[in-house]
């Protein structure tokens, strides 16, 4: 059976132990691996490795010994409890071998968890799991985790539900980080809040967020906000070579201009608006934001945010324009707007 949408979220929150098998496939190996770890941990509970209730197999092992998969699924261990056979990097060439193992499966056997790279709809492996009455197939895509997934990660790490601003900061962070780095950030937050029962705050997120994602992108956005459009090209090429994505740059720019908007729209003036920002800025950053917000003014900042929203929608759509060219054009337009006198 094929799972999608809310069915996937429900399954990952509570995997079903009575199923014969599960296929996880996707183009991002890290995302697939993290979901596989999550599923197996929830199926088997703690100490599965020590109690030998988890058997790991590589696809290459089965080419010379196809019966090894069925043998592993049927094998009985010394310790009671659910068992899983994990088959990594499967391809369509193993579809018949896996089909045989699933056909012989009984309720006393180990559940089979299979991972694979991106599979087209015509894939024999996908068809096998999607057409099976007691097995699931789930595609793992490159979309950043949504609110439900983030809340599940936090709960799994023993963290209380965050404040609204903290959840917004985590959502932005999840969009800019790869899955492994985001999970490490959640684990760091769990250690940071180990003896603190209070909910997560935006200050906590700022304290634990990796600096690497901010540095180069933030430097570029400062150039944009100050209207130095001639410096954008070289900085953008450098960030592109480092693997920074256009979506990350758009998110970083939007976050910065939202800060400027909060400062510029404060009824008591820009300086008061900056002083009220949460999390608070350091002294140097505070002075820079005051200068930028005063120079731009509320109307231009709102125009910039409108442009960034349109750019974000374009980057996430099915358009064929090169994404780096799209973000470069938008950043230059922002810089020209910033450098233009009202």
């Amino acid at each position: 059976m094929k799972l999608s949408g809310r069915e996937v979220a429900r399954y990952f929150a509570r995997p079903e132990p009575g199923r014969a098998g599960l296929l996880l496939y996707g183009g991002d190996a890290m995302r697939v691996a993290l979901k596989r770890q999550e599923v197996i941990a929830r199926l088997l509970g703690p100490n599965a490795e020590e109690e030998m209730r988890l058997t790991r197999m590589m696809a290459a092992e089965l080419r010379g010994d196809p019966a090894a998969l069925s043998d592993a699924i049927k094998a009985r261990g010394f310790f009671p409890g659910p068992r899983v056979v994990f088959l990594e990097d499967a391809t369509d060439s193993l579809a018949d071998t896996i089909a045989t193992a699933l056909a012989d499966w009984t309720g006393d056997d180990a559940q089979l968890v299979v991972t694979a790279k991106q599979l087209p709809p015509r894939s024999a492996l996908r068809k096998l799991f999607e057409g099976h009455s007691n097995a699931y197939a789930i595609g793992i895509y490159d979309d950043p985790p949504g609110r439900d997934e983030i809340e599940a990660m936090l709960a799994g790490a023993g963290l209380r539900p965050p404040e609204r601003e903290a959840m917004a900061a985590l959502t932005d962070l999840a969009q800019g980080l790869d899955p492994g780095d985001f999970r490490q950030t959640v684990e760091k937050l769990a250690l940071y809040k180990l003896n603190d029962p209070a909910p997560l705050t935006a200050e906590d997120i700022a304290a634990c967020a990796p600096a690497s994602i901010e540095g180069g992108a933030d430097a570029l956005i400062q150039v944009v906000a100050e209207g130095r459009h001639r410096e954008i090209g070289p900085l953008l090429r450098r960030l592109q070579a480092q693997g920074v994505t256009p979506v990350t740059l758009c998110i970083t720019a939007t976050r910065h201009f939202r800060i400027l908007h909060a400062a510029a729209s404060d009824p008591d003036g820009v300086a008061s608006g900056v002083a009220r920002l949460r999390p608070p800025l350091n002294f140097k950053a505070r002075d820079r934001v005051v200068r930028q917000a005063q120079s731009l003014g509320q109307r231009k900042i709102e125009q910039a945010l409108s442009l960034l929203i349109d750019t974000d929608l374009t980057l996430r759509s099915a358009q064929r324009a090169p994404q780096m060219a799209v973000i470069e054009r938008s950043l230059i337009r922002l810089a020209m707007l910033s450098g233009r006198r009202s």
Side-chain angles (χ1 to χ4, degrees), residues 53-301:
R53 292 187 288 113
L54 173 62
T55 301
R56 300 174 183 269
M57 304 185 76
M58 295 295 296
E61 298 176 37
L62 299 183
R63 295 193 180 103
D65 185 11
L69 183 60
S70 291
D71 292 343
I73 291 173
K74 296 287 184 184
R76 299 288 184 267
F78 294 105
F79 295 90
R83 293 176 295 113
V84 163
V85 172
F86 163 45
L87 177 61
E88 189 172 5
D89 288 338
T91 62
D92 283 348
S93 63
L94 291 175
D96 290 342
T97 300
I98 295 171
T100 300
L102 291 177
D104 294 337
W105 190 87
T106 68
D108 293 330
D109 294 338
Q111 184 169 158
L112 175 62
V113 175
V114 179
T115 60
K117 296 178 180 178
Q118 187 63 50
L119 299 172
R122 292 177 293 179
S123 159
L125 208 51
R126 272 186 65 172
K127 287 183 176 181
L128 169 63
F129 279 84
E130 289 176 359
H132 199 284
S133 62
N134 195 35
Y136 287 142
I138 300 176
I140 308 298
Y141 301 104
D142 293 347
D143 299 330
R147 184 186 182 95
D148 290 346
E149 287 184 82
I150 293 172
E151 287 179 345
M153 287 186 199
L154 295 176
L159 291 163
R160 294 183 61 187
E163 295 178 353
R164 185 175 63 179
E165 289 183 358
M167 177 53 78
L170 277 172
T171 302
D172 285 347
L173 201 60
Q175 291 177 331
L177 290 171
D178 68 51
D181 287 342
F182 184 70
R183 187 171 289 272
Q184 287 180 357
T185 301
V186 171
E187 292 170 356
K188 185 176 179 181
L189 281 166
L191 291 173
Y192 185 78
K193 299 285 284 185
L194 187 60
N195 297 312
D196 183 359
L200 282 172
T201 65
E203 288 84 353
D204 297 330
I205 309 303
C208 296
S212 59
I213 190 175
E214 303 292 342
D218 273 348
L220 173 62
I221 303 310
Q222 296 296 340
V223 164
V224 171
E226 291 169 5
R228 291 145 49 197
H229 63 275
R230 297 183 186 279
E231 300 177 38
I232 292 174
L235 281 172
L236 198 59
R237 300 289 88 76
R238 193 178 310 154
L239 290 170
Q240 185 178 15
Q242 294 171 0
V244 178
T245 67
V247 172
T248 297
L249 294 174
C250 190
I251 291 168
T252 306
T254 303
R255 186 186 306 137
H256 183 73
F257 276 86
R258 281 177 179 164
I259 290 172
L260 295 181
H261 187 262
S265 58
D266 192 282
D268 295 327
V270 171
S272 295
V274 172
R276 293 191 177 107
L277 289 173
R278 293 294 180 272
L281 303 176
N282 62 46
F283 181 80
K284 186 175 181 181
R286 188 165 61 243
D287 286 349
R288 203 165 194 176
V289 167
V290 168
R291 289 198 308 271
Q292 292 171 3
Q294 288 175 336
S295 174
L296 281 161
Q298 185 175 346
R299 183 178 63 83
K300 281 187 178 181
I301 296 170

